[in-house]
Amino acid sequence: MQRYLGFIFTLLLLTGCEDFLSKEPDNRANLDSKEKIAELLVTAYPEANYAAFCEAMSDNAEDNPQGQIQPINADAYFWRDHSTTDQDSPEYYWNACYAAIAASNHALRAIRTAPDSMAMQALKGEALVARAYSHFMLVNLFAQTYDSATASTNPGIPYVTEPETVSFKTYKRASVKEVYNRIERDLLDGLPLINDQAYQTNGGSSSGVPKYHFTKAASHAFASRFYLFKKEYTKVIEHANQVFIQQDIKTLLRPWNSTYRGYSAQELSLNYTKSSEKANLLLCETASNWARSFLGNRYSTGLQRYREIFNTQSMVGMYSYSVLRSSSQAYIINKFREHFVRVGTNANTGFIYTMLPLISAEEVLFNRAEAHAMLFHFNESLADINIWVSTRVTNYDPAVHTITFNKLYNYYQKNVNQQAIVAGILDFRRVEFLHEGLRWFDVLRHKLPVRHTTADGQILDLSPTDPRRVIQLPVQAIASGGLEPNPR
């Protein structure tokens, strides 16, 4: 089956992943049943990993001379336009997102023309929310971060809503504002249609595992992230509350200071990205060697960054995270497990996959805490922070470890409650999502400066206005698709 998406010069990079999943119909023109459309929507999620390049671009990385130099890792660390299209590169992620969007669009067309389209409303909801998610990730990596003052004039990315019918097609970059408007439309149109029971109908198939799909909870969680970027904080809280409705929030968070604390490194990698882990709201199997490369990349989390990231222990208490040091002197939390799929029974070659948690309960809690802080609901924000702390500190004692205004002031020396609370949230998020790529999005949202140094003494600064904060569009998208490149 050939996918057509004009400015993507090839999707053969993803063929191995498609073969492994074996969920996609051989011919999208033959989507003549509810079951076939459901199988197609398994591929409506970007089967590529953004964590590798996002971590290296962020302030989580430093120069570890004992690590291996890889082009993807080095290009990201030096904020260079990427020189490779291999897996774990920005171009690979771009292609995967538009491939996922194509799957959603083919599914939506099939649903529109189906005689029993009303029986497929849950599938329509999933396709719309999945399409919104891929566009959201693309616009925040390859365009300026949303700012209501400039969004209408900043170029975004193409928002594709129709299936491809030609091999090459010219696209235009919609403005960031227009992209956000379309994301919101798809999200709000799709969310009410989501029906979690629809994922239970294909026993034995991954399409019947809810954690690989936009369930109601995952969709509201994505909405909380979307509105946090858009700075519509009341809506962040509304959608976060829907994730936690009638739930004991603490039971949805990873039990780092209880169950997880007893895990070996191998057990942690086996359990962190399991679909049975309540904290995982949305998972995706990605064609990625991140589970292997983050152990030995030269530009990774070394001793200096480790101390900086975990310095908040002086305010919180001893964290229960299991931090190890690799042979390359990288400090790691062994969250990921490699899946190696051989090309044949007796073959020594194959494809490498890494399961990535795209959205978690912890993120939703932090989204709500930040939104409360921005709305001056300081007590509510602290309450959310302390739910998280209660599951992260070894030998937790609320009388000792509860975060208070005074603790935040003493640590950050900020006497404005909002500033101190938000600073704390950003630092706690940095700890929580280490190796998962989300720190880069916080750098973008809050216009945080980043400084990288090299072993030979070079100092590299990325200011809040540096154009390199926006990843350059793929070469083929510029050459074949006629898209305007990002400034350099």
Side-chain angles (χ1 to χ4, degrees):
M1 187 281 299
Q2 183 180 12
R3 292 179 176 174
Y4 297 106
L5 190 61
F7 49 81
I8 296 179
F9 75 103
T10 179
L11 290 178
L12 293 177
L13 293 171
L14 302 177
T15 301
C17 192
E18 292 174 3
D19 290 343
F20 169 59
L21 292 173
S22 299
K23 297 301 177 188
E24 189 168 289
D26 291 335
N27 187 346
R28 289 191 180 184
N30 193 32
L31 295 172
D32 55 4
S33 71
K34 184 177 180 180
E35 291 71 25
K36 288 181 180 180
I37 296 172
E39 292 296 309
L40 173 61
L41 284 174
V42 173
T43 66
Y45 301 83
E47 297 160 358
N49 195 339
Y50 53 83
F53 58 86
C54 285
E55 283 291 298
M57 288 191 295
S58 79
D59 53 3
N60 283 348
E62 65 182 279
D63 186 355
N64 285 311
Q66 295 185 56
Q68 295 182 343
I69 296 180
Q70 301 291 342
I72 292 169
N73 180 238
D75 287 344
Y77 187 75
F78 290 95
W79 308 302
R80 296 190 295 243
D81 292 349
H82 282 254
S83 57
T84 176
T85 63
D86 293 344
Q87 65 180 35
D88 291 331
S89 69
E91 183 159 338
Y92 193 90
Y93 187 73
W94 168 283
N95 290 345
C97 282
Y98 277 114
I101 290 165
S104 288
N105 287 336
H106 279 276
L108 288 166
R109 182 176 65 178
I111 293 167
R112 283 197 303 268
T113 58
D116 57 343
S117 61
M118 291 307 297
M120 301 183 186
Q121 293 303 290
L123 296 176
K124 179 181 178 181
E126 180 183 8
L128 288 169
V129 177
R131 184 170 74 181
Y133 173 82
S134 286
H135 282 109
F136 175 83
M137 295 300 289
L138 286 169
V139 76
N140 284 292
L141 289 169
F142 295 94
Q144 292 283 348
T145 305
Y146 183 89
D147 183 329
S148 59
T150 59
S152 60
T153 55
N154 284 337
I157 45 99
Y159 204 97
V160 181
T161 58
E162 293 297 330
E164 294 299 322
T165 56
V166 295
S167 296
F168 291 95
K169 183 177 179 180
T170 300
Y171 286 86
K172 292 184 179 180
R173 299 180 66 171
S175 70
V176 170
K177 181 178 181 179
E178 184 178 356
V179 173
Y180 262 69
N181 287 344
R182 292 185 179 187
I183 291 169
E184 186 171 29
R185 189 181 314 143
D186 276 350
L187 178 58
L188 296 184
D189 286 349
L191 209 161
L193 304 178
I194 296 289
N195 181 353
D196 293 357
Q197 297 305 311
Y199 305 130
Q200 307 292 344
T201 59
N202 298 315
S205 167
S206 66
S207 60
V209 180
K211 293 296 180 72
Y212 294 93
H213 300 269
F214 270 112
T215 59
K216 279 286 190 185
S219 300
H220 282 294
F222 168 44
S224 78
R225 180 191 292 185
F226 171 77
Y227 285 115
L228 190 66
F229 270 76
K230 206 176 179 189
K231 300 182 179 180
E232 295 186 14
Y233 299 116
T234 299
K235 292 181 180 179
V236 174
I237 295 168
E238 290 172 357
H239 285 283
N241 287 344
Q242 289 300 308
V243 177
F244 298 135
I245 191 168
Q246 296 181 339
Q247 296 271 9
D248 179 354
I249 297 175
K250 185 175 178 178
T251 66
L252 295 179
L253 306 184
R254 299 180 195 278
W256 275 104
N257 60 3
S258 54
T259 306
Y260 273 31
R261 191 182 179 197
Y263 283 157
S264 66
Q266 182 179 9
E267 288 171 331
L268 178 59
S269 70
L270 290 171
N271 285 278
Y272 194 86
T273 56
K274 269 190 174 181
S275 61
S276 57
E277 171 54 72
K278 290 182 179 180
N280 292 323
L281 300 180
L282 182 63
L283 293 165
C284 188
E285 183 110 44
T286 66
S288 166
N289 68 356
W290 182 232
R292 178 187 302 182
S293 64
F294 91 113
L295 302 171
N297 279 336
R298 174 158 177 167
Y299 304 106
S300 55
T301 302
L303 178 60
Q304 178 180 332
R305 290 303 198 196
Y306 163 72
R307 288 173 172 168
E308 179 182 310
I309 293 167
F310 284 86
N311 189 51
T312 44
Q313 289 185 135
S314 63
M315 170 178 55
V316 177
M318 184 63 67
Y319 286 123
S320 294
Y321 297 98
S322 302
V323 183
L324 306 173
R325 187 175 65 183
S326 73
S327 59
S328 67
Q329 305 303 304
Y331 284 74
I332 64 165
I333 300 175
N334 201 40
K335 297 178 175 181
F336 309 108
R337 182 168 67 95
E338 177 180 305
H339 303 264
F340 184 77
V341 182
R342 300 179 188 276
V343 295
T345 304
N346 299 315
N348 293 320
T349 59
F351 300 98
I352 301 172
Y353 301 90
T354 298
M355 188 71 73
L356 189 69
L358 300 185
I359 305 175
S360 68
E362 286 86 359
E363 183 194 348
V364 180
L365 185 62
F366 281 130
N367 292 348
R368 189 173 75 174
E370 186 173 335
H372 276 308
M374 300 308 292
L375 292 172
F376 305 100
H377 305 161
F378 300 137
N379 290 327
E380 291 88 341
S381 184
L382 281 184
D384 281 346
I385 292 171
N386 280 307
I387 293 172
W388 176 79
V389 169
S390 72
T391 64
R392 294 313 187 260
V393 174
T394 302
N395 299 321
Y396 175 74
D397 180 350
V400 175
H401 299 118
T402 296
I403 296 296
T404 64
F405 294 116
N406 283 339
K407 282 186 178 180
L408 290 167
Y409 169 74
N410 290 334
Y411 185 81
Y412 293 107
Q413 292 297 298
K414 296 178 184 292
N415 58 9
V416 177
N417 283 337
Q418 185 183 77
Q419 294 177 4
I421 292 173
V422 171
I425 290 169
L426 290 176
D427 278 348
F428 298 149
R429 286 174 64 101
R430 190 180 183 189
V431 171
E432 178 66 29
F433 302 120
L434 183 62
H435 311 316
E436 296 181 40
L438 295 187
R439 175 61 176 179
W440 178 246
F441 295 94
D442 289 344
V443 166
L444 296 176
R445 281 194 308 115
H446 286 272
K447 300 181 179 180
L448 304 177
V450 178
R451 169 167 287 186
H452 285 170
T453 59
T454 65
D456 60 5
Q458 294 183 62
I459 297 176
L460 307 136
D461 287 314
L462 191 74
S463 72
T465 59
D466 195 309
R468 294 174 299 169
R469 293 166 80 93
V470 180
I471 299 173
Q472 187 57 273
L473 303 189
V475 172
Q476 289 296 326
I478 297 169
S480 301
L483 299 183
E484 172 193 354
N486 289 318
R488 285 294 181 264

